[in-house]
């Protein structure tokens, strides 16, 4: 009996040791990965590149293409360690790491960036950009460069460009939304973002902040009636299984910032910096194109497979949404400042 107990104890200890070894190895990997750019004796610079999307998402695929492109064009003098799916922490943690220099590069959504750079709140001004082509023109033009320069000053990183997160659309399980009147009484999930919440509340619905990881269950159980995310994300997260209606009127064009820590940037030679910036430009074009393709493909699948009913408001109906959210602008001006809001509105008017 005693020997049997001893054998069981020894086995338990062995399993525990093995588990600790695996756990320690995993944790150790993450810890070392968060170091700033490393340069070996041959002048090869290794950079971490982090984001929150899955490897199979358009951002993950574009990042893999970027990695290959940089390594090829730099002839192996720049190496990229690609960390998708929050492997180096949440978006907020990655943005903080880039700002402090403990993580090299990040592709981060504007809602998170706004916590580090007040000027980025301007990207949440609703019903200004109705299609992605207009968004690309605005963020690639003088306004986008101006906003990027402000993020450098306020956030402490090196700005590289604006990729695309999504065109945020309302979808719900209750009814078709043609005008703001149709939103009355609906509980719409938002991020814990006071601007997003005000947009939803001003449209007559009830903004309900819920963690993204809990959203599917909240929709399934009726805790909320709807959500406001892009087409591709609505598809990839399976939300079309629990919502029935989508209104194709984007209230926000949501960009990603592409940024690198200043310390990491300065470790690159002028020639390497030129190559890296050129490859980021190609990455942005690639990621946007993949996102556009996904939106078309996934919307069609959701309509055919899930029976999702979509509606595109008329110009007169769209004007009602814009009028209902006119009081969001003063809030954004108080956060971002008049100068950048005026610059954004001017860029929209000229695009």
């Amino acid at each position: 009996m005693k020997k049997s107990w001893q054998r069981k104890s020894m086995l338990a200890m062995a399993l525990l040791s093995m588990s600790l070894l695996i756990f320690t190895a995993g944790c150790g990997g993450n810890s070392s990965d968060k170091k700033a750019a490393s340069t070996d004796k041959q002048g090869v610079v290794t950079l971490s590149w982090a984001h929150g999307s899955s490897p199979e998402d358009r951002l993950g695929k574009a990042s893999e293409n970027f990695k290959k492109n940089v390594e090829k064009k730099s002839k192996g003098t720049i190496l990229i360690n690609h960390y998708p799916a929050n492997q180096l922490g949440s978006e907020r943690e990655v943005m903080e790491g880039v700002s402090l220099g403990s993580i090299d590069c990040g592709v981060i959504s504007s809602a998170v960036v706004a916590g580090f750079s007040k000027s980025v709140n301007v990207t949440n001004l609703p019903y200004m950009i109705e299609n992605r082509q207009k968004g690309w023109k605005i963020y690639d033009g003088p306004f986008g460069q101006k906003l990027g320069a402000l993020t450098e000053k306020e956030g402490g990183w090196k700005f590289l460009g604006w990729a695309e997160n999504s065109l945020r659309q309302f979808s719900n399980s209750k009814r078709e939304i043609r005008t703001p009147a149709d939103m009355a009484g609906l509980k719409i999930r938002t991020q814990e973002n006071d601007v997003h919440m005000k947009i939803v509340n001003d449209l007559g619905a009830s903004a309900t902040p819920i963690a993204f990881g809990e959203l599917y269950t909240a929709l399934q159980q009726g805790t909320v009636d709807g959500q406001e995310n892009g087409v591709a994300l609505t598809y990839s997260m399976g939300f079309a299984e629990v919502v029935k209606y989508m209104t194709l009127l984007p209230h926000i064009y949501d960009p990603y910032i592409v940024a690198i820590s200043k310390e990491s940037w300065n470790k690159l030679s002028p020639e390497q910096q030129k190559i890296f910036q050129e490859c980021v430009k190609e990455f942005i074009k690639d990621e946007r194109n993949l996102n556009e393709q996904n939106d078309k493909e996934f919307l069609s699948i959701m309509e055919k497979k899930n029976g999702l009913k979509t509606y595109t408001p008329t110009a007169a109906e769209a004007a009602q949404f814009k009028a209902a959210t006119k009081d969001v602008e003063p809030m954004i001006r108080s956060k971002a400042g008049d100068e950048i809001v005026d610059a954004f509105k001017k860029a929209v008017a000229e695009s």
Side-chain angles (χ1 to χ4, degrees), residues 15-66:
L15 290 171
L16 179 59
S17 297
M18 187 178 295
S19 298
L20 287 171
L21 181 61
I22 294 170
F23 176 79
T24 303
C27 291
N30 276 344
S31 177
S32 63
D33 290 340
K34 291 191 180 184
K35 293 179 180 177
S38 62
T39 307
D40 68 13
K41 293 179 181 179
Q42 285 73 42
V44 176
V45 181
T46 301
L47 300 172
S48 56
W49 175 275
H51 58 84
S53 294
S54 78
E56 300 305 314
D57 179 73
R58 86 288 186 200
L59 179 51
K61 291 178 179 178
S63 293
E64 278 299 306
N65 293 340
F66 169 76

Short mmCIF file of all heavy atoms in Angstrom, two decimals, residues 15-66:
data_model
loop_
_atom_site.label_atom_id
_atom_site.label_comp_id
_atom_site.label_asym_id
_atom_site.label_seq_id
_atom_site.Cartn_x
_atom_site.Cartn_y
_atom_site.Cartn_z
N LEU A 15 4.83 14.67 -13.25
CA LEU A 15 3.90 15.40 -14.10
C LEU A 15 3.89 16.88 -13.77
O LEU A 15 3.82 17.73 -14.66
CB LEU A 15 2.48 14.82 -13.94
CG LEU A 15 2.26 13.42 -14.54
CD1 LEU A 15 0.91 12.88 -14.12
CD2 LEU A 15 2.38 13.47 -16.05
N LEU A 16 3.97 17.19 -12.47
CA LEU A 16 4.00 18.59 -12.04
C LEU A 16 5.24 19.28 -12.56
O LEU A 16 5.21 20.40 -13.06
CB LEU A 16 3.93 18.68 -10.51
CG LEU A 16 3.99 20.10 -9.92
CD1 LEU A 16 2.83 20.94 -10.44
CD2 LEU A 16 3.97 20.04 -8.40
N SER A 17 6.39 18.59 -12.47
CA SER A 17 7.65 19.18 -12.95
C SER A 17 7.60 19.43 -14.45
O SER A 17 8.06 20.46 -14.94
CB SER A 17 8.82 18.23 -12.63
OG SER A 17 8.96 18.06 -11.24
N MET A 18 7.02 18.45 -15.17
CA MET A 18 6.91 18.60 -16.62
C MET A 18 6.01 19.79 -16.96
O MET A 18 6.32 20.59 -17.85
CB MET A 18 6.33 17.33 -17.24
CG MET A 18 6.34 17.34 -18.77
SD MET A 18 5.70 15.79 -19.45
CE MET A 18 6.96 14.66 -18.86
N SER A 19 4.90 19.94 -16.25
CA SER A 19 3.99 21.04 -16.49
C SER A 19 4.66 22.38 -16.22
O SER A 19 4.50 23.34 -16.99
CB SER A 19 2.73 20.91 -15.61
OG SER A 19 2.05 19.73 -15.92
N LEU A 20 5.42 22.44 -15.11
CA LEU A 20 6.12 23.68 -14.77
C LEU A 20 7.16 24.02 -15.81
O LEU A 20 7.37 25.18 -16.16
CB LEU A 20 6.77 23.55 -13.39
CG LEU A 20 5.82 23.58 -12.19
CD1 LEU A 20 6.57 23.24 -10.91
CD2 LEU A 20 5.15 24.94 -12.07
N LEU A 21 7.84 22.97 -16.33
CA LEU A 21 8.87 23.19 -17.34
C LEU A 21 8.25 23.78 -18.61
O LEU A 21 8.75 24.74 -19.18
CB LEU A 21 9.56 21.86 -17.68
CG LEU A 21 10.69 21.93 -18.72
CD1 LEU A 21 11.82 22.83 -18.22
CD2 LEU A 21 11.22 20.54 -19.02
N ILE A 22 7.12 23.19 -19.03
CA ILE A 22 6.44 23.68 -20.23
C ILE A 22 5.94 25.09 -20.01
O ILE A 22 6.10 25.99 -20.85
CB ILE A 22 5.26 22.75 -20.61
CG1 ILE A 22 5.81 21.40 -21.04
CG2 ILE A 22 4.41 23.37 -21.70
CD1 ILE A 22 4.74 20.34 -21.19
N PHE A 23 5.35 25.35 -18.85
CA PHE A 23 4.81 26.67 -18.53
C PHE A 23 5.92 27.72 -18.50
O PHE A 23 5.81 28.80 -19.06
CB PHE A 23 4.09 26.63 -17.17
CG PHE A 23 3.59 27.97 -16.72
CD1 PHE A 23 2.41 28.48 -17.25
CD2 PHE A 23 4.29 28.73 -15.80
CE1 PHE A 23 1.94 29.72 -16.86
CE2 PHE A 23 3.81 29.97 -15.41
CZ PHE A 23 2.63 30.46 -15.94
N THR A 24 7.06 27.33 -17.85
CA THR A 24 8.18 28.26 -17.74
C THR A 24 8.75 28.57 -19.10
O THR A 24 9.07 29.71 -19.42
CB THR A 24 9.28 27.67 -16.84
OG1 THR A 24 8.72 27.37 -15.57
CG2 THR A 24 10.43 28.65 -16.68
N ALA A 25 8.86 27.55 -19.95
CA ALA A 25 9.39 27.76 -21.29
C ALA A 25 8.50 28.72 -22.07
O ALA A 25 8.98 29.62 -22.74
CB ALA A 25 9.50 26.43 -22.03
N GLY A 26 7.18 28.52 -21.93
CA GLY A 26 6.24 29.39 -22.63
C GLY A 26 6.33 30.81 -22.14
O GLY A 26 6.40 31.76 -22.91
N CYS A 27 6.38 30.98 -20.82
CA CYS A 27 6.45 32.33 -20.27
C CYS A 27 7.77 32.99 -20.61
O CYS A 27 7.85 34.16 -20.92
CB CYS A 27 6.26 32.29 -18.75
SG CYS A 27 4.58 31.84 -18.26
N GLY A 28 8.82 32.19 -20.53
CA GLY A 28 10.14 32.73 -20.84
C GLY A 28 10.21 33.23 -22.25
O GLY A 28 10.80 34.26 -22.53
N GLY A 29 9.55 32.53 -23.18
CA GLY A 29 9.54 32.95 -24.57
C GLY A 29 8.89 34.30 -24.73
O GLY A 29 9.41 35.18 -25.39
N ASN A 30 7.76 34.50 -24.08
CA ASN A 30 7.07 35.77 -24.19
C ASN A 30 7.90 36.90 -23.59
O ASN A 30 7.96 37.99 -24.10
CB ASN A 30 5.71 35.72 -23.47
CG ASN A 30 4.66 35.12 -24.37
OD1 ASN A 30 4.84 35.03 -25.56
ND2 ASN A 30 3.55 34.71 -23.79
N SER A 31 8.54 36.61 -22.46
CA SER A 31 9.32 37.64 -21.80
C SER A 31 10.47 38.11 -22.67
O SER A 31 10.69 39.30 -22.84
CB SER A 31 9.84 37.10 -20.46
OG SER A 31 10.65 38.05 -19.84
N SER A 32 11.21 37.16 -23.26
CA SER A 32 12.35 37.53 -24.09
C SER A 32 11.88 38.22 -25.37
O SER A 32 12.57 39.08 -25.90
CB SER A 32 13.19 36.30 -24.44
OG SER A 32 12.42 35.39 -25.20
N ASP A 33 10.69 37.84 -25.86
CA ASP A 33 10.18 38.43 -27.09
C ASP A 33 9.88 39.92 -26.94
O ASP A 33 9.83 40.65 -27.91
CB ASP A 33 8.89 37.73 -27.53
CG ASP A 33 9.15 36.31 -28.01
OD1 ASP A 33 10.31 36.02 -28.36
OD2 ASP A 33 8.21 35.52 -28.00
N LYS A 34 9.68 40.36 -25.71
CA LYS A 34 9.29 41.74 -25.49
C LYS A 34 10.50 42.67 -25.42
O LYS A 34 10.37 43.84 -25.12
CB LYS A 34 8.45 41.86 -24.22
CG LYS A 34 7.07 41.23 -24.36
CD LYS A 34 6.18 41.60 -23.21
CE LYS A 34 4.81 40.96 -23.36
NZ LYS A 34 3.89 41.37 -22.31
N LYS A 35 11.70 42.16 -25.67
CA LYS A 35 12.88 43.01 -25.69
C LYS A 35 12.86 43.88 -26.94
O LYS A 35 12.28 43.54 -27.95
CB LYS A 35 14.15 42.16 -25.64
CG LYS A 35 14.32 41.44 -24.31
CD LYS A 35 15.57 40.59 -24.33
CE LYS A 35 15.75 39.86 -22.99
NZ LYS A 35 16.93 38.98 -23.01
N ALA A 36 13.57 44.99 -26.86
CA ALA A 36 13.66 45.88 -28.00
C ALA A 36 14.49 45.25 -29.10
O ALA A 36 15.08 44.17 -28.92
CB ALA A 36 14.25 47.21 -27.56
N ALA A 37 14.57 45.93 -30.23
CA ALA A 37 15.27 45.41 -31.40
C ALA A 37 16.69 44.97 -31.04
O ALA A 37 17.40 45.65 -30.31
CB ALA A 37 15.33 46.49 -32.47
N SER A 38 17.08 43.83 -31.57
CA SER A 38 18.43 43.32 -31.34
C SER A 38 19.22 43.38 -32.64
O SER A 38 18.68 43.18 -33.72
CB SER A 38 18.38 41.87 -30.83
OG SER A 38 17.79 41.03 -31.80
N THR A 39 20.51 43.68 -32.53
CA THR A 39 21.40 43.74 -33.69
C THR A 39 22.58 42.83 -33.44
O THR A 39 23.27 42.95 -32.42
CB THR A 39 21.90 45.18 -33.91
OG1 THR A 39 20.79 46.07 -33.96
CG2 THR A 39 22.70 45.28 -35.20
N ASP A 40 22.82 41.89 -34.38
CA ASP A 40 23.93 40.97 -34.18
C ASP A 40 25.23 41.55 -34.76
O ASP A 40 25.26 42.68 -35.27
CB ASP A 40 23.62 39.59 -34.77
CG ASP A 40 23.53 39.59 -36.29
OD1 ASP A 40 23.94 40.59 -36.93
OD2 ASP A 40 23.05 38.60 -36.86
N LYS A 41 26.30 40.79 -34.69
CA LYS A 41 27.62 41.28 -35.10
C LYS A 41 27.68 41.57 -36.59
O LYS A 41 28.52 42.35 -37.04
CB LYS A 41 28.68 40.25 -34.71
CG LYS A 41 28.86 40.10 -33.20
CD LYS A 41 29.91 39.06 -32.87
CE LYS A 41 30.07 38.91 -31.37
NZ LYS A 41 31.08 37.88 -31.01
N GLN A 42 26.83 40.94 -37.37
CA GLN A 42 26.81 41.17 -38.81
C GLN A 42 25.91 42.35 -39.21
O GLN A 42 25.70 42.61 -40.38
CB GLN A 42 26.33 39.91 -39.55
CG GLN A 42 27.38 38.79 -39.62
CD GLN A 42 27.58 38.10 -38.27
OE1 GLN A 42 26.62 37.82 -37.56
NE2 GLN A 42 28.83 37.85 -37.92
N GLY A 43 25.35 43.02 -38.22
CA GLY A 43 24.50 44.17 -38.50
C GLY A 43 23.08 43.82 -38.83
O GLY A 43 22.33 44.65 -39.36
N VAL A 44 22.66 42.57 -38.55
CA VAL A 44 21.28 42.15 -38.80
C VAL A 44 20.40 42.60 -37.65
O VAL A 44 20.68 42.30 -36.48
CB VAL A 44 21.18 40.61 -38.97
CG1 VAL A 44 19.72 40.19 -39.13
CG2 VAL A 44 22.00 40.16 -40.18
N VAL A 45 19.34 43.33 -37.97
CA VAL A 45 18.41 43.84 -36.95
C VAL A 45 17.17 42.97 -36.92
O VAL A 45 16.55 42.73 -37.97
CB VAL A 45 18.01 45.30 -37.25
CG1 VAL A 45 17.07 45.83 -36.16
CG2 VAL A 45 19.23 46.19 -37.36
N THR A 46 16.80 42.47 -35.75
CA THR A 46 15.60 41.64 -35.58
C THR A 46 14.54 42.45 -34.84
O THR A 46 14.80 42.97 -33.75
CB THR A 46 15.92 40.35 -34.81
OG1 THR A 46 16.92 39.61 -35.52
CG2 THR A 46 14.67 39.49 -34.67
N LEU A 47 13.35 42.56 -35.44
CA LEU A 47 12.27 43.37 -34.89
C LEU A 47 11.03 42.52 -34.61
O LEU A 47 10.69 41.63 -35.38
CB LEU A 47 11.87 44.48 -35.87
CG LEU A 47 12.94 45.49 -36.28
CD1 LEU A 47 12.42 46.37 -37.40
CD2 LEU A 47 13.36 46.34 -35.10
N SER A 48 10.36 42.82 -33.51
CA SER A 48 9.07 42.19 -33.22
C SER A 48 7.96 43.02 -33.88
O SER A 48 8.02 44.25 -33.91
CB SER A 48 8.84 42.08 -31.71
OG SER A 48 8.95 43.35 -31.09
N TRP A 49 6.94 42.31 -34.41
CA TRP A 49 5.81 42.94 -35.12
C TRP A 49 4.55 42.32 -34.53
O TRP A 49 4.28 41.14 -34.72
CB TRP A 49 5.94 42.66 -36.61
CG TRP A 49 4.83 43.12 -37.49
CD1 TRP A 49 3.66 42.44 -37.76
CD2 TRP A 49 4.77 44.32 -38.26
NE1 TRP A 49 2.89 43.15 -38.64
CE2 TRP A 49 3.54 44.31 -38.97
CE3 TRP A 49 5.63 45.41 -38.43
CZ2 TRP A 49 3.18 45.35 -39.82
CZ3 TRP A 49 5.25 46.45 -39.28
CH2 TRP A 49 4.04 46.41 -39.96
N ALA A 50 3.75 43.10 -33.78
CA ALA A 50 2.66 42.54 -33.00
C ALA A 50 1.31 43.17 -33.34
O ALA A 50 1.22 44.35 -33.68
CB ALA A 50 2.94 42.72 -31.51
N HIS A 51 0.25 42.36 -33.23
CA HIS A 51 -1.12 42.85 -33.41
C HIS A 51 -2.09 41.86 -32.74
O HIS A 51 -1.67 40.80 -32.25
CB HIS A 51 -1.46 43.02 -34.90
CG HIS A 51 -1.32 41.78 -35.72
ND1 HIS A 51 -2.31 40.82 -35.81
CD2 HIS A 51 -0.30 41.32 -36.49
CE1 HIS A 51 -1.92 39.84 -36.60
NE2 HIS A 51 -0.69 40.11 -37.02
N GLY A 52 -3.38 42.19 -32.75
CA GLY A 52 -4.35 41.38 -32.03
C GLY A 52 -5.12 40.40 -32.88
O GLY A 52 -5.87 39.57 -32.34
N SER A 53 -4.97 40.44 -34.20
CA SER A 53 -5.76 39.57 -35.08
C SER A 53 -5.15 38.18 -35.20
O SER A 53 -3.95 37.99 -34.95
CB SER A 53 -5.88 40.19 -36.46
OG SER A 53 -6.64 41.38 -36.41
N SER A 54 -5.97 37.22 -35.64
CA SER A 54 -5.49 35.85 -35.80
C SER A 54 -4.57 35.76 -37.01
O SER A 54 -4.61 36.61 -37.91
CB SER A 54 -6.67 34.90 -35.99
OG SER A 54 -7.16 34.98 -37.32
N PRO A 55 -3.75 34.69 -37.09
CA PRO A 55 -2.86 34.52 -38.24
C PRO A 55 -3.62 34.38 -39.55
O PRO A 55 -3.08 34.70 -40.61
CB PRO A 55 -2.11 33.22 -37.91
CG PRO A 55 -2.22 33.07 -36.44
CD PRO A 55 -3.54 33.65 -36.07
N GLU A 56 -4.88 33.91 -39.49
CA GLU A 56 -5.68 33.70 -40.69
C GLU A 56 -6.48 34.93 -41.10
O GLU A 56 -7.09 34.96 -42.17
CB GLU A 56 -6.64 32.52 -40.48
CG GLU A 56 -5.94 31.20 -40.18
CD GLU A 56 -4.91 30.84 -41.24
OE1 GLU A 56 -5.23 30.96 -42.43
OE2 GLU A 56 -3.78 30.46 -40.87
N ASP A 57 -6.49 35.94 -40.26
CA ASP A 57 -7.20 37.18 -40.56
C ASP A 57 -6.43 37.95 -41.62
O ASP A 57 -5.24 37.71 -41.85
CB ASP A 57 -7.31 38.01 -39.27
CG ASP A 57 -8.01 39.33 -39.48
OD1 ASP A 57 -9.23 39.32 -39.65
OD2 ASP A 57 -7.32 40.37 -39.46
N ARG A 58 -7.08 38.90 -42.30
CA ARG A 58 -6.39 39.67 -43.35
C ARG A 58 -5.18 40.39 -42.80
O ARG A 58 -4.16 40.54 -43.49
CB ARG A 58 -7.36 40.61 -44.05
CG ARG A 58 -7.58 41.99 -43.40
CD ARG A 58 -8.38 41.93 -42.13
NE ARG A 58 -8.68 43.24 -41.60
CZ ARG A 58 -9.02 43.45 -40.34
NH1 ARG A 58 -9.06 42.46 -39.48
NH2 ARG A 58 -9.31 44.66 -39.92
N LEU A 59 -5.23 40.83 -41.53
CA LEU A 59 -4.09 41.50 -40.93
C LEU A 59 -2.94 40.52 -40.70
O LEU A 59 -1.77 40.84 -40.93
CB LEU A 59 -4.51 42.16 -39.61
CG LEU A 59 -3.43 42.89 -38.81
CD1 LEU A 59 -2.66 43.87 -39.66
CD2 LEU A 59 -4.08 43.62 -37.62
N GLY A 60 -3.29 39.30 -40.27
CA GLY A 60 -2.26 38.28 -40.09
C GLY A 60 -1.61 37.88 -41.40
O GLY A 60 -0.38 37.74 -41.48
N LYS A 61 -2.41 37.72 -42.44
CA LYS A 61 -1.87 37.34 -43.76
C LYS A 61 -1.01 38.45 -44.34
O LYS A 61 0.07 38.20 -44.89
CB LYS A 61 -3.03 37.00 -44.71
CG LYS A 61 -3.76 35.72 -44.35
CD LYS A 61 -4.93 35.46 -45.29
CE LYS A 61 -5.65 34.16 -44.92
NZ LYS A 61 -6.82 33.91 -45.80
N ALA A 62 -1.49 39.70 -44.23
CA ALA A 62 -0.70 40.82 -44.74
C ALA A 62 0.61 40.97 -43.97
O ALA A 62 1.63 41.35 -44.55
CB ALA A 62 -1.52 42.11 -44.65
N SER A 63 0.58 40.65 -42.69
CA SER A 63 1.79 40.74 -41.88
C SER A 63 2.82 39.70 -42.30
O SER A 63 4.03 39.97 -42.32
CB SER A 63 1.45 40.56 -40.39
OG SER A 63 0.68 41.65 -39.91
N GLU A 64 2.36 38.50 -42.65
CA GLU A 64 3.28 37.47 -43.13
C GLU A 64 3.89 37.89 -44.47
O GLU A 64 5.09 37.68 -44.72
CB GLU A 64 2.54 36.14 -43.29
CG GLU A 64 2.41 35.36 -41.99
CD GLU A 64 3.75 34.98 -41.40
OE1 GLU A 64 4.57 34.35 -42.10
OE2 GLU A 64 3.99 35.33 -40.22
N ASN A 65 3.08 38.50 -45.32
CA ASN A 65 3.59 39.01 -46.59
C ASN A 65 4.62 40.11 -46.36
O ASN A 65 5.65 40.19 -47.04
CB ASN A 65 2.45 39.54 -47.47
CG ASN A 65 1.49 38.46 -47.93
OD1 ASN A 65 1.85 37.28 -47.94
ND2 ASN A 65 0.30 38.84 -48.32
N PHE A 66 4.34 40.96 -45.38
CA PHE A 66 5.25 42.04 -45.02
C PHE A 66 6.59 41.49 -44.53
O PHE A 66 7.66 41.96 -44.93
CB PHE A 66 4.61 42.90 -43.92
CG PHE A 66 5.54 43.88 -43.27
CD1 PHE A 66 5.90 45.05 -43.92
CD2 PHE A 66 6.05 43.64 -42.00
CE1 PHE A 66 6.76 45.96 -43.31
CE2 PHE A 66 6.90 44.54 -41.40
CZ PHE A 66 7.26 45.70 -42.05
#
